[in-house]
Amino acid sequence: MKAFQKLRLLYRHQRIVLPLVDRALVGWHERARAIPEPGLRRQAVVTLDRKRVHCDAGGAYAAMALDRRETLVPLIVAFQTISDYLDDLCDVGSTSGAADFRALHRAMHDAVSPGTPLADYYTAQPRDDGGYLVALVEACRRHVTELPGFAAAQPAIVELVGHYTELQVHKHIEADQRVTALEGWLEELLPDYPEMTWWELAAASASTIGVYALFEAATDPTLKTDTAEGLKNAYFPAITGLHILLDYLIDQADDEAAGELNFISCYTNTTRAIERLGAFVDLARRHAHDLPHAYAHELRVAGLLGVYLSDAAIDTPALKAIARRLLARGGWWARLVHLYWRARS
């Protein structure tokens, strides 16, 4: 039965959700190309092109609630576009300083806080984006109000967005200050997760998929706050940690060349990194298995492994060996998604 349910979700994602993601991205491309400031316009367009896979993957969280797909898909696409756009602005040095990063990422909070006044996101460094970022925020606010269970999910969503924002602020400051800043920020969180290192908890904070799981849960008008809290705790830091550690695994070479902080490089050696990635696979699968509609969350964990480990960056002997070990740990659904994604690429 679970196998049939998972196959049905894969079918829905491919045949129903992805065309809606395409449609939503077309609209944001048009908005991006209308940005008056050339640097911001170029960055926005490049981000939409280069990181569209994030929206494709995020769309998987609409496959379980097709009756709400006209709300969930544009919501996820808009929220992910905010995340990717701001991350790229910080990465390429278009902005600088913690105050600038914090002002920009206020957009993430406003996106899930309908009814609050909108902030001036470029206040630390005035820029003219023609209302692009505000339009993304307003799209998110409009769509979250269409989710009947949003009030119950909102506290957990805001908490995850808070973790995400703090990670982005501290990760993008001057290179010689990042580790100290991250350790200082995480000092209060770490006692709740004694099995985690600071960089593993930081990685878990950088994922948006916990927010998307909560968006999906909020399609249920009977959703309770404690249920949303349980879902958040299942995703953070186990599933979200696996997500971003896999992302850093494939970005190691690029990050080293660019002088960027990479959390995989924080491990003492490759053997330890593989051990911890394997532990995250086990932990993520266990948490997914314990959730309502476990088959959907299990498939998403398998999807993380299949998609990330099919990336072109894995095509080195060392990373291929790591990928084989992790895919074996993830089970045959992870291997199936991996084969499909390799063929699709």
PDB file of all heavy atoms in Angstrom, residues 1-12 64 289 293-299 302 332-334 336-337:
ATOM      1  N   MET A   1       0.828  -1.217   0.000  1.00  0.00           N
ATOM      2  CA  MET A   1       0.000   0.000   0.000  1.00  0.00           C
ATOM      3  C   MET A   1       0.862   1.267   0.000  1.00  0.00           C
ATOM      4  O   MET A   1       0.613   2.204  -0.740  1.00  0.00           O
ATOM      5  CB  MET A   1      -0.920   0.002   1.228  1.00  0.00           C
ATOM      6  CG  MET A   1      -1.882   1.185   1.271  1.00  0.00           C
ATOM      7  SD  MET A   1      -3.014   1.185  -0.136  1.00  0.00           S
ATOM      8  CE  MET A   1      -4.024   2.589   0.229  1.00  0.00           C
ATOM      9  N   LYS A   2       1.905   1.253   0.868  1.00  0.00           N
ATOM     10  CA  LYS A   2       2.785   2.417   0.911  1.00  0.00           C
ATOM     11  C   LYS A   2       3.452   2.661  -0.436  1.00  0.00           C
ATOM     12  O   LYS A   2       3.627   3.804  -0.851  1.00  0.00           O
ATOM     13  CB  LYS A   2       3.863   2.240   1.988  1.00  0.00           C
ATOM     14  CG  LYS A   2       3.497   2.779   3.358  1.00  0.00           C
ATOM     15  CD  LYS A   2       4.725   2.799   4.246  1.00  0.00           C
ATOM     16  CE  LYS A   2       4.392   3.414   5.598  1.00  0.00           C
ATOM     17  NZ  LYS A   2       5.610   3.521   6.442  1.00  0.00           N
ATOM     18  N   ALA A   3       3.842   1.589  -1.104  1.00  0.00           N
ATOM     19  CA  ALA A   3       4.503   1.730  -2.399  1.00  0.00           C
ATOM     20  C   ALA A   3       3.576   2.426  -3.396  1.00  0.00           C
ATOM     21  O   ALA A   3       3.996   3.332  -4.132  1.00  0.00           O
ATOM     22  CB  ALA A   3       4.941   0.370  -2.927  1.00  0.00           C
ATOM     23  N   PHE A   4       2.322   2.016  -3.412  1.00  0.00           N
ATOM     24  CA  PHE A   4       1.354   2.653  -4.316  1.00  0.00           C
ATOM     25  C   PHE A   4       1.185   4.133  -3.976  1.00  0.00           C
ATOM     26  O   PHE A   4       1.134   4.989  -4.868  1.00  0.00           O
ATOM     27  CB  PHE A   4       0.003   1.934  -4.226  1.00  0.00           C
ATOM     28  CG  PHE A   4      -1.099   2.663  -4.954  1.00  0.00           C
ATOM     29  CD1 PHE A   4      -1.176   2.614  -6.333  1.00  0.00           C
ATOM     30  CD2 PHE A   4      -2.043   3.424  -4.252  1.00  0.00           C
ATOM     31  CE1 PHE A   4      -2.185   3.300  -7.009  1.00  0.00           C
ATOM     32  CE2 PHE A   4      -3.038   4.099  -4.915  1.00  0.00           C
ATOM     33  CZ  PHE A   4      -3.109   4.041  -6.306  1.00  0.00           C
ATOM     34  N   GLN A   5       1.076   4.442  -2.683  1.00  0.00           N
ATOM     35  CA  GLN A   5       0.906   5.833  -2.262  1.00  0.00           C
ATOM     36  C   GLN A   5       2.103   6.687  -2.664  1.00  0.00           C
ATOM     37  O   GLN A   5       1.938   7.838  -3.097  1.00  0.00           O
ATOM     38  CB  GLN A   5       0.693   5.893  -0.749  1.00  0.00           C
ATOM     39  CG  GLN A   5      -0.634   5.314  -0.282  1.00  0.00           C
ATOM     40  CD  GLN A   5      -0.715   5.157   1.224  1.00  0.00           C
ATOM     41  OE1 GLN A   5       0.242   4.743   1.882  1.00  0.00           O
ATOM     42  NE2 GLN A   5      -1.863   5.478   1.794  1.00  0.00           N
ATOM     43  N   LYS A   6       3.296   6.140  -2.535  1.00  0.00           N
ATOM     44  CA  LYS A   6       4.493   6.891  -2.915  1.00  0.00           C
ATOM     45  C   LYS A   6       4.557   7.103  -4.420  1.00  0.00           C
ATOM     46  O   LYS A   6       4.893   8.198  -4.886  1.00  0.00           O
ATOM     47  CB  LYS A   6       5.749   6.168  -2.417  1.00  0.00           C
ATOM     48  CG  LYS A   6       5.920   6.211  -0.906  1.00  0.00           C
ATOM     49  CD  LYS A   6       7.133   5.415  -0.445  1.00  0.00           C
ATOM     50  CE  LYS A   6       7.275   5.484   1.068  1.00  0.00           C
ATOM     51  NZ  LYS A   6       8.430   4.681   1.562  1.00  0.00           N
ATOM     52  N   LEU A   7       4.221   6.073  -5.173  1.00  0.00           N
ATOM     53  CA  LEU A   7       4.211   6.215  -6.633  1.00  0.00           C
ATOM     54  C   LEU A   7       3.178   7.243  -7.070  1.00  0.00           C
ATOM     55  O   LEU A   7       3.417   8.028  -8.000  1.00  0.00           O
ATOM     56  CB  LEU A   7       3.929   4.866  -7.285  1.00  0.00           C
ATOM     57  CG  LEU A   7       5.071   3.847  -7.244  1.00  0.00           C
ATOM     58  CD1 LEU A   7       4.591   2.488  -7.715  1.00  0.00           C
ATOM     59  CD2 LEU A   7       6.247   4.328  -8.092  1.00  0.00           C
ATOM     60  N   ARG A   8       2.044   7.261  -6.384  1.00  0.00           N
ATOM     61  CA  ARG A   8       1.010   8.249  -6.717  1.00  0.00           C
ATOM     62  C   ARG A   8       1.514   9.669  -6.443  1.00  0.00           C
ATOM     63  O   ARG A   8       1.259  10.585  -7.234  1.00  0.00           O
ATOM     64  CB  ARG A   8      -0.255   7.969  -5.905  1.00  0.00           C
ATOM     65  CG  ARG A   8      -1.424   8.895  -6.257  1.00  0.00           C
ATOM     66  CD  ARG A   8      -2.672   8.510  -5.509  1.00  0.00           C
ATOM     67  NE  ARG A   8      -2.476   8.590  -4.057  1.00  0.00           N
ATOM     68  CZ  ARG A   8      -3.405   8.273  -3.170  1.00  0.00           C
ATOM     69  NH1 ARG A   8      -4.583   7.816  -3.588  1.00  0.00           N
ATOM     70  NH2 ARG A   8      -3.177   8.369  -1.890  1.00  0.00           N
ATOM     71  N   LEU A   9       2.241   9.840  -5.338  1.00  0.00           N
ATOM     72  CA  LEU A   9       2.798  11.162  -5.038  1.00  0.00           C
ATOM     73  C   LEU A   9       3.811  11.586  -6.097  1.00  0.00           C
ATOM     74  O   LEU A   9       3.830  12.747  -6.514  1.00  0.00           O
ATOM     75  CB  LEU A   9       3.462  11.161  -3.662  1.00  0.00           C
ATOM     76  CG  LEU A   9       2.553  11.299  -2.448  1.00  0.00           C
ATOM     77  CD1 LEU A   9       3.397  11.353  -1.175  1.00  0.00           C
ATOM     78  CD2 LEU A   9       1.672  12.541  -2.533  1.00  0.00           C
ATOM     79  N   LEU A  10       4.657  10.656  -6.514  1.00  0.00           N
ATOM     80  CA  LEU A  10       5.629  10.971  -7.565  1.00  0.00           C
ATOM     81  C   LEU A  10       4.918  11.388  -8.854  1.00  0.00           C
ATOM     82  O   LEU A  10       5.315  12.350  -9.519  1.00  0.00           O
ATOM     83  CB  LEU A  10       6.534   9.764  -7.829  1.00  0.00           C
ATOM     84  CG  LEU A  10       7.579   9.446  -6.756  1.00  0.00           C
ATOM     85  CD1 LEU A  10       8.277   8.128  -7.078  1.00  0.00           C
ATOM     86  CD2 LEU A  10       8.595  10.574  -6.633  1.00  0.00           C
ATOM     87  N   TYR A  11       3.865  10.659  -9.186  1.00  0.00           N
ATOM     88  CA  TYR A  11       3.098  10.993 -10.392  1.00  0.00           C
ATOM     89  C   TYR A  11       2.474  12.380 -10.275  1.00  0.00           C
ATOM     90  O   TYR A  11       2.550  13.196 -11.209  1.00  0.00           O
ATOM     91  CB  TYR A  11       2.008   9.943 -10.619  1.00  0.00           C
ATOM     92  CG  TYR A  11       1.116  10.265 -11.794  1.00  0.00           C
ATOM     93  CD1 TYR A  11       1.488   9.897 -13.081  1.00  0.00           C
ATOM     94  CD2 TYR A  11      -0.088  10.955 -11.610  1.00  0.00           C
ATOM     95  CE1 TYR A  11       0.680  10.215 -14.168  1.00  0.00           C
ATOM     96  CE2 TYR A  11      -0.895  11.269 -12.683  1.00  0.00           C
ATOM     97  CZ  TYR A  11      -0.506  10.901 -13.967  1.00  0.00           C
ATOM     98  OH  TYR A  11      -1.304  11.227 -15.046  1.00  0.00           O
ATOM     99  N   ARG A  12       1.850  12.656  -9.140  1.00  0.00           N
ATOM    100  CA  ARG A  12       1.218  13.961  -8.939  1.00  0.00           C
ATOM    101  C   ARG A  12       2.248  15.089  -9.038  1.00  0.00           C
ATOM    102  O   ARG A  12       1.974  16.146  -9.622  1.00  0.00           O
ATOM    103  CB  ARG A  12       0.549  14.009  -7.564  1.00  0.00           C
ATOM    104  CG  ARG A  12      -0.713  13.184  -7.430  1.00  0.00           C
ATOM    105  CD  ARG A  12      -1.220  13.268  -6.006  1.00  0.00           C
ATOM    106  NE  ARG A  12      -2.536  12.681  -5.833  1.00  0.00           N
ATOM    107  CZ  ARG A  12      -3.202  12.677  -4.687  1.00  0.00           C
ATOM    108  NH1 ARG A  12      -2.663  13.215  -3.595  1.00  0.00           N
ATOM    109  NH2 ARG A  12      -4.401  12.133  -4.616  1.00  0.00           N
ATOM    110  N   MET A  64       0.463  16.245  -1.784  1.00  0.00           N
ATOM    111  CA  MET A  64      -0.443  15.569  -0.855  1.00  0.00           C
ATOM    112  C   MET A  64      -1.775  16.297  -0.716  1.00  0.00           C
ATOM    113  O   MET A  64      -2.730  15.751  -0.201  1.00  0.00           O
ATOM    114  CB  MET A  64       0.212  15.484   0.535  1.00  0.00           C
ATOM    115  CG  MET A  64       1.006  14.222   0.775  1.00  0.00           C
ATOM    116  SD  MET A  64      -0.041  12.813   1.116  1.00  0.00           S
ATOM    117  CE  MET A  64      -0.658  13.245   2.747  1.00  0.00           C
ATOM    118  N   HIS A 289       9.165   8.292   9.570  1.00  0.00           N
ATOM    119  CA  HIS A 289       8.347   7.092   9.787  1.00  0.00           C
ATOM    120  C   HIS A 289       7.331   7.286  10.913  1.00  0.00           C
ATOM    121  O   HIS A 289       6.258   6.671  10.897  1.00  0.00           O
ATOM    122  CB  HIS A 289       9.256   5.903  10.109  1.00  0.00           C
ATOM    123  CG  HIS A 289       8.518   4.628  10.365  1.00  0.00           C
ATOM    124  ND1 HIS A 289       7.930   3.891   9.355  1.00  0.00           N
ATOM    125  CD2 HIS A 289       8.252   3.952  11.522  1.00  0.00           C
ATOM    126  CE1 HIS A 289       7.342   2.829   9.875  1.00  0.00           C
ATOM    127  NE2 HIS A 289       7.515   2.833  11.173  1.00  0.00           N
ATOM    128  N   HIS A 293       0.786  10.232   7.940  1.00  0.00           N
ATOM    129  CA  HIS A 293       1.083  10.171   6.509  1.00  0.00           C
ATOM    130  C   HIS A 293       2.577   9.920   6.301  1.00  0.00           C
ATOM    131  O   HIS A 293       3.247  10.582   5.485  1.00  0.00           O
ATOM    132  CB  HIS A 293       0.658  11.444   5.788  1.00  0.00           C
ATOM    133  CG  HIS A 293      -0.779  11.824   6.004  1.00  0.00           C
ATOM    134  ND1 HIS A 293      -1.825  11.053   5.553  1.00  0.00           N
ATOM    135  CD2 HIS A 293      -1.334  12.886   6.652  1.00  0.00           C
ATOM    136  CE1 HIS A 293      -2.972  11.625   5.903  1.00  0.00           C
ATOM    137  NE2 HIS A 293      -2.699  12.729   6.570  1.00  0.00           N
ATOM    138  N   ALA A 294       3.093   8.953   7.041  1.00  0.00           N
ATOM    139  CA  ALA A 294       4.536   8.685   7.035  1.00  0.00           C
ATOM    140  C   ALA A 294       5.075   8.451   5.633  1.00  0.00           C
ATOM    141  O   ALA A 294       6.200   8.868   5.318  1.00  0.00           O
ATOM    142  CB  ALA A 294       4.827   7.469   7.917  1.00  0.00           C
ATOM    143  N   TYR A 295       4.295   7.814   4.774  1.00  0.00           N
ATOM    144  CA  TYR A 295       4.794   7.490   3.438  1.00  0.00           C
ATOM    145  C   TYR A 295       5.236   8.731   2.675  1.00  0.00           C
ATOM    146  O   TYR A 295       6.228   8.694   1.929  1.00  0.00           O
ATOM    147  CB  TYR A 295       3.733   6.723   2.640  1.00  0.00           C
ATOM    148  CG  TYR A 295       2.517   7.537   2.256  1.00  0.00           C
ATOM    149  CD1 TYR A 295       2.461   8.216   1.048  1.00  0.00           C
ATOM    150  CD2 TYR A 295       1.415   7.626   3.121  1.00  0.00           C
ATOM    151  CE1 TYR A 295       1.349   8.959   0.689  1.00  0.00           C
ATOM    152  CE2 TYR A 295       0.307   8.362   2.768  1.00  0.00           C
ATOM    153  CZ  TYR A 295       0.270   9.031   1.564  1.00  0.00           C
ATOM    154  OH  TYR A 295      -0.829   9.779   1.231  1.00  0.00           O
ATOM    155  N   ALA A 296       4.511   9.846   2.870  1.00  0.00           N
ATOM    156  CA  ALA A 296       4.867  11.075   2.171  1.00  0.00           C
ATOM    157  C   ALA A 296       6.199  11.622   2.675  1.00  0.00           C
ATOM    158  O   ALA A 296       7.070  12.025   1.887  1.00  0.00           O
ATOM    159  CB  ALA A 296       3.769  12.114   2.347  1.00  0.00           C
ATOM    160  N   HIS A 297       6.375  11.647   3.981  1.00  0.00           N
ATOM    161  CA  HIS A 297       7.602  12.192   4.551  1.00  0.00           C
ATOM    162  C   HIS A 297       8.783  11.261   4.295  1.00  0.00           C
ATOM    163  O   HIS A 297       9.911  11.726   4.069  1.00  0.00           O
ATOM    164  CB  HIS A 297       7.402  12.455   6.045  1.00  0.00           C
ATOM    165  CG  HIS A 297       6.282  13.412   6.319  1.00  0.00           C
ATOM    166  ND1 HIS A 297       6.383  14.755   6.048  1.00  0.00           N
ATOM    167  CD2 HIS A 297       5.027  13.202   6.798  1.00  0.00           C
ATOM    168  CE1 HIS A 297       5.248  15.350   6.371  1.00  0.00           C
ATOM    169  NE2 HIS A 297       4.403  14.425   6.824  1.00  0.00           N
ATOM    170  N   GLU A 298       8.542   9.955   4.313  1.00  0.00           N
ATOM    171  CA  GLU A 298       9.598   8.997   3.966  1.00  0.00           C
ATOM    172  C   GLU A 298      10.061   9.210   2.530  1.00  0.00           C
ATOM    173  O   GLU A 298      11.270   9.168   2.237  1.00  0.00           O
ATOM    174  CB  GLU A 298       9.089   7.570   4.143  1.00  0.00           C
ATOM    175  CG  GLU A 298       8.875   7.150   5.583  1.00  0.00           C
ATOM    176  CD  GLU A 298       8.114   5.837   5.701  1.00  0.00           C
ATOM    177  OE1 GLU A 298       7.654   5.306   4.668  1.00  0.00           O
ATOM    178  OE2 GLU A 298       7.983   5.351   6.830  1.00  0.00           O
ATOM    179  N   LEU A 299       9.115   9.447   1.637  1.00  0.00           N
ATOM    180  CA  LEU A 299       9.467   9.671   0.237  1.00  0.00           C
ATOM    181  C   LEU A 299      10.280  10.958   0.087  1.00  0.00           C
ATOM    182  O   LEU A 299      11.216  11.019  -0.720  1.00  0.00           O
ATOM    183  CB  LEU A 299       8.202   9.744  -0.616  1.00  0.00           C
ATOM    184  CG  LEU A 299       8.416   9.970  -2.116  1.00  0.00           C
ATOM    185  CD1 LEU A 299       9.253   8.844  -2.716  1.00  0.00           C
ATOM    186  CD2 LEU A 299       7.066  10.078  -2.836  1.00  0.00           C
ATOM    187  N   ALA A 302      13.803  10.259   1.104  1.00  0.00           N
ATOM    188  CA  ALA A 302      14.424   9.535  -0.008  1.00  0.00           C
ATOM    189  C   ALA A 302      14.721  10.484  -1.162  1.00  0.00           C
ATOM    190  O   ALA A 302      15.763  10.371  -1.833  1.00  0.00           O
ATOM    191  CB  ALA A 302      13.510   8.404  -0.476  1.00  0.00           C
ATOM    192  N   TRP A 332      15.766   1.559  -0.940  1.00  0.00           N
ATOM    193  CA  TRP A 332      15.598   1.469  -2.387  1.00  0.00           C
ATOM    194  C   TRP A 332      14.800   2.622  -2.986  1.00  0.00           C
ATOM    195  O   TRP A 332      14.953   2.937  -4.167  1.00  0.00           O
ATOM    196  CB  TRP A 332      15.023   0.116  -2.783  1.00  0.00           C
ATOM    197  CG  TRP A 332      13.562  -0.104  -2.574  1.00  0.00           C
ATOM    198  CD1 TRP A 332      12.956  -0.540  -1.455  1.00  0.00           C
ATOM    199  CD2 TRP A 332      12.523   0.100  -3.544  1.00  0.00           C
ATOM    200  NE1 TRP A 332      11.598  -0.634  -1.647  1.00  0.00           N
ATOM    201  CE2 TRP A 332      11.306  -0.253  -2.929  1.00  0.00           C
ATOM    202  CE3 TRP A 332      12.497   0.533  -4.873  1.00  0.00           C
ATOM    203  CZ2 TRP A 332      10.087  -0.171  -3.587  1.00  0.00           C
ATOM    204  CZ3 TRP A 332      11.278   0.613  -5.544  1.00  0.00           C
ATOM    205  CH2 TRP A 332      10.093   0.261  -4.899  1.00  0.00           C
ATOM    206  N   TRP A 333      13.979   3.296  -2.190  1.00  0.00           N
ATOM    207  CA  TRP A 333      13.285   4.470  -2.721  1.00  0.00           C
ATOM    208  C   TRP A 333      14.270   5.594  -3.029  1.00  0.00           C
ATOM    209  O   TRP A 333      14.115   6.317  -4.015  1.00  0.00           O
ATOM    210  CB  TRP A 333      12.206   4.950  -1.751  1.00  0.00           C
ATOM    211  CG  TRP A 333      10.950   4.171  -1.888  1.00  0.00           C
ATOM    212  CD1 TRP A 333      10.505   3.150  -1.097  1.00  0.00           C
ATOM    213  CD2 TRP A 333       9.961   4.310  -2.925  1.00  0.00           C
ATOM    214  NE1 TRP A 333       9.321   2.648  -1.561  1.00  0.00           N
ATOM    215  CE2 TRP A 333       8.947   3.338  -2.673  1.00  0.00           C
ATOM    216  CE3 TRP A 333       9.833   5.146  -4.025  1.00  0.00           C
ATOM    217  CZ2 TRP A 333       7.835   3.201  -3.492  1.00  0.00           C
ATOM    218  CZ3 TRP A 333       8.709   5.020  -4.844  1.00  0.00           C
ATOM    219  CH2 TRP A 333       7.729   4.055  -4.586  1.00  0.00           C
ATOM    220  N   ALA A 334      15.288   5.742  -2.186  1.00  0.00           N
ATOM    221  CA  ALA A 334      16.321   6.735  -2.461  1.00  0.00           C
ATOM    222  C   ALA A 334      17.056   6.388  -3.753  1.00  0.00           C
ATOM    223  O   ALA A 334      17.339   7.270  -4.586  1.00  0.00           O
ATOM    224  CB  ALA A 334      17.306   6.814  -1.291  1.00  0.00           C
ATOM    225  N   LEU A 336      15.838   4.641  -6.217  1.00  0.00           N
ATOM    226  CA  LEU A 336      14.908   4.829  -7.336  1.00  0.00           C
ATOM    227  C   LEU A 336      14.841   6.293  -7.750  1.00  0.00           C
ATOM    228  O   LEU A 336      14.914   6.617  -8.945  1.00  0.00           O
ATOM    229  CB  LEU A 336      13.514   4.326  -6.931  1.00  0.00           C
ATOM    230  CG  LEU A 336      12.409   4.482  -7.986  1.00  0.00           C
ATOM    231  CD1 LEU A 336      12.711   3.629  -9.198  1.00  0.00           C
ATOM    232  CD2 LEU A 336      11.044   4.117  -7.396  1.00  0.00           C
ATOM    233  N   VAL A 337      14.705   7.199  -6.779  1.00  0.00           N
ATOM    234  CA  VAL A 337      14.671   8.633  -7.089  1.00  0.00           C
ATOM    235  C   VAL A 337      15.997   9.053  -7.724  1.00  0.00           C
ATOM    236  O   VAL A 337      16.024   9.852  -8.667  1.00  0.00           O
ATOM    237  CB  VAL A 337      14.391   9.456  -5.820  1.00  0.00           C
ATOM    238  CG1 VAL A 337      14.498  10.948  -6.125  1.00  0.00           C
ATOM    239  CG2 VAL A 337      13.009   9.135  -5.257  1.00  0.00           C
TER     240      VAL A 337
END
